[in-house]
PDB file of all heavy atoms in Angstrom:
ATOM      1  N   PHE B  90      11.213 -16.412 -10.955  1.00 98.00           N
ATOM      2  CA  PHE B  90      10.247 -15.387 -11.370  1.00 98.00           C
ATOM      3  C   PHE B  90       9.034 -15.346 -10.442  1.00 98.00           C
ATOM      4  O   PHE B  90       8.562 -14.274 -10.072  1.00 98.00           O
ATOM      5  CB  PHE B  90       9.802 -15.644 -12.814  1.00 98.00           C
ATOM      6  CG  PHE B  90       8.797 -14.656 -13.334  1.00 98.00           C
ATOM      7  CD1 PHE B  90       9.115 -13.308 -13.465  1.00 98.00           C
ATOM      8  CD2 PHE B  90       7.515 -15.073 -13.678  1.00 98.00           C
ATOM      9  CE1 PHE B  90       8.197 -12.382 -13.953  1.00 98.00           C
ATOM     10  CE2 PHE B  90       6.582 -14.156 -14.159  1.00 98.00           C
ATOM     11  CZ  PHE B  90       6.919 -12.816 -14.290  1.00 98.00           C
ATOM     12  N   LEU B  91       8.534 -16.509 -10.022  1.00 98.00           N
ATOM     13  CA  LEU B  91       7.349 -16.482  -9.164  1.00 98.00           C
ATOM     14  C   LEU B  91       7.655 -15.887  -7.788  1.00 98.00           C
ATOM     15  O   LEU B  91       6.803 -15.264  -7.161  1.00 98.00           O
ATOM     16  CB  LEU B  91       6.729 -17.876  -9.047  1.00 98.00           C
ATOM     17  CG  LEU B  91       5.926 -18.337 -10.277  1.00 98.00           C
ATOM     18  CD1 LEU B  91       5.183 -19.634  -9.993  1.00 98.00           C
ATOM     19  CD2 LEU B  91       4.949 -17.262 -10.740  1.00 98.00           C
ATOM     20  N   GLU B  92       8.876 -16.044  -7.314  1.00 98.00           N
ATOM     21  CA  GLU B  92       9.260 -15.373  -6.056  1.00 98.00           C
ATOM     22  C   GLU B  92       9.206 -13.854  -6.242  1.00 98.00           C
ATOM     23  O   GLU B  92       8.749 -13.122  -5.368  1.00 98.00           O
ATOM     24  CB  GLU B  92      10.677 -15.781  -5.631  1.00 98.00           C
ATOM     25  CG  GLU B  92      10.780 -17.182  -5.037  1.00 98.00           C
ATOM     26  CD  GLU B  92      12.213 -17.514  -4.612  1.00 98.00           C
ATOM     27  OE1 GLU B  92      13.105 -17.530  -5.492  1.00 98.00           O
ATOM     28  OE2 GLU B  92      12.423 -17.739  -3.408  1.00 98.00           O
ATOM     29  N   VAL B  93       9.666 -13.382  -7.430  1.00 98.00           N
ATOM     30  CA  VAL B  93       9.623 -11.943  -7.709  1.00 98.00           C
ATOM     31  C   VAL B  93       8.172 -11.485  -7.846  1.00 98.00           C
ATOM     32  O   VAL B  93       7.791 -10.418  -7.375  1.00 98.00           O
ATOM     33  CB  VAL B  93      10.454 -11.604  -8.960  1.00 98.00           C
ATOM     34  CG1 VAL B  93      10.309 -10.144  -9.367  1.00 98.00           C
ATOM     35  CG2 VAL B  93      11.925 -11.934  -8.722  1.00 98.00           C
ATOM     36  N   CYS B  94       7.325 -12.346  -8.433  1.00 98.00           N
ATOM     37  CA  CYS B  94       5.891 -12.008  -8.523  1.00 98.00           C
ATOM     38  C   CYS B  94       5.306 -11.848  -7.127  1.00 98.00           C
ATOM     39  O   CYS B  94       4.602 -10.880  -6.841  1.00 98.00           O
ATOM     40  CB  CYS B  94       5.131 -13.119  -9.265  1.00 98.00           C
ATOM     41  SG  CYS B  94       5.497 -13.214 -11.021  1.00 98.00           S
ATOM     42  N   HIS B  95       5.650 -12.770  -6.239  1.00 98.00           N
ATOM     43  CA  HIS B  95       5.151 -12.696  -4.849  1.00 98.00           C
ATOM     44  C   HIS B  95       5.654 -11.420  -4.178  1.00 98.00           C
ATOM     45  O   HIS B  95       4.907 -10.700  -3.510  1.00 98.00           O
ATOM     46  CB  HIS B  95       5.635 -13.935  -4.069  1.00 98.00           C
ATOM     47  CG  HIS B  95       5.044 -14.078  -2.691  1.00 98.00           C
ATOM     48  ND1 HIS B  95       5.468 -13.336  -1.616  1.00 98.00           N
ATOM     49  CD2 HIS B  95       4.047 -14.870  -2.222  1.00 98.00           C
ATOM     50  CE1 HIS B  95       4.770 -13.675  -0.543  1.00 98.00           C
ATOM     51  NE2 HIS B  95       3.902 -14.596  -0.876  1.00 98.00           N
ATOM     52  N   LEU B  96       6.941 -11.111  -4.436  1.00 98.00           N
ATOM     53  CA  LEU B  96       7.545  -9.902  -3.852  1.00 98.00           C
ATOM     54  C   LEU B  96       6.806  -8.654  -4.314  1.00 98.00           C
ATOM     55  O   LEU B  96       6.473  -7.778  -3.506  1.00 98.00           O
ATOM     56  CB  LEU B  96       9.016  -9.836  -4.266  1.00 98.00           C
ATOM     57  CG  LEU B  96       9.794  -8.598  -3.869  1.00 98.00           C
ATOM     58  CD1 LEU B  96       9.936  -8.503  -2.356  1.00 98.00           C
ATOM     59  CD2 LEU B  96      11.177  -8.596  -4.523  1.00 98.00           C
ATOM     60  N   LEU B  97       6.508  -8.577  -5.622  1.00 98.00           N
ATOM     61  CA  LEU B  97       5.834  -7.392  -6.153  1.00 98.00           C
ATOM     62  C   LEU B  97       4.394  -7.309  -5.655  1.00 98.00           C
ATOM     63  O   LEU B  97       3.916  -6.235  -5.292  1.00 98.00           O
ATOM     64  CB  LEU B  97       5.884  -7.401  -7.679  1.00 98.00           C
ATOM     65  CG  LEU B  97       7.260  -7.118  -8.291  1.00 98.00           C
ATOM     66  CD1 LEU B  97       7.266  -7.424  -9.783  1.00 98.00           C
ATOM     67  CD2 LEU B  97       7.687  -5.671  -8.057  1.00 98.00           C
ATOM     68  N   LEU B  98       3.723  -8.454  -5.578  1.00 98.00           N
ATOM     69  CA  LEU B  98       2.306  -8.435  -5.162  1.00 98.00           C
ATOM     70  C   LEU B  98       2.151  -8.205  -3.662  1.00 98.00           C
ATOM     71  O   LEU B  98       1.294  -7.451  -3.227  1.00 98.00           O
ATOM     72  CB  LEU B  98       1.630  -9.763  -5.535  1.00 98.00           C
ATOM     73  CG  LEU B  98       1.198  -9.960  -6.985  1.00 98.00           C
ATOM     74  CD1 LEU B  98       0.618 -11.355  -7.178  1.00 98.00           C
ATOM     75  CD2 LEU B  98       0.179  -8.895  -7.416  1.00 98.00           C
ATOM     76  N   TYR B  99       2.988  -8.870  -2.858  1.00 98.00           N
ATOM     77  CA  TYR B  99       2.773  -8.847  -1.406  1.00 98.00           C
ATOM     78  C   TYR B  99       3.810  -8.028  -0.643  1.00 98.00           C
ATOM     79  O   TYR B  99       3.684  -7.845   0.566  1.00 98.00           O
ATOM     80  CB  TYR B  99       2.790 -10.298  -0.876  1.00 98.00           C
ATOM     81  CG  TYR B  99       1.621 -11.127  -1.342  1.00 98.00           C
ATOM     82  CD1 TYR B  99       1.785 -12.100  -2.327  1.00 98.00           C
ATOM     83  CD2 TYR B  99       0.354 -10.930  -0.809  1.00 98.00           C
ATOM     84  CE1 TYR B  99       0.710 -12.855  -2.773  1.00 98.00           C
ATOM     85  CE2 TYR B  99      -0.727 -11.691  -1.245  1.00 98.00           C
ATOM     86  CZ  TYR B  99      -0.548 -12.652  -2.231  1.00 98.00           C
ATOM     87  OH  TYR B  99      -1.609 -13.403  -2.664  1.00 98.00           O
ATOM     88  N   GLY B 100       4.900  -7.620  -1.314  1.00 98.00           N
ATOM     89  CA  GLY B 100       5.911  -6.800  -0.630  1.00 98.00           C
ATOM     90  C   GLY B 100       7.029  -7.585   0.008  1.00 98.00           C
ATOM     91  O   GLY B 100       7.981  -7.021   0.510  1.00 98.00           O
TER      92      GLY B 100
END
Side-chain angles (χ1 to χ4, degrees):
F90 179 63
L91 284 188
E92 285 181 298
V93 174
C94 290
H95 188 283
L96 175 66
L97 288 169
L98 281 177
Y99 292 105

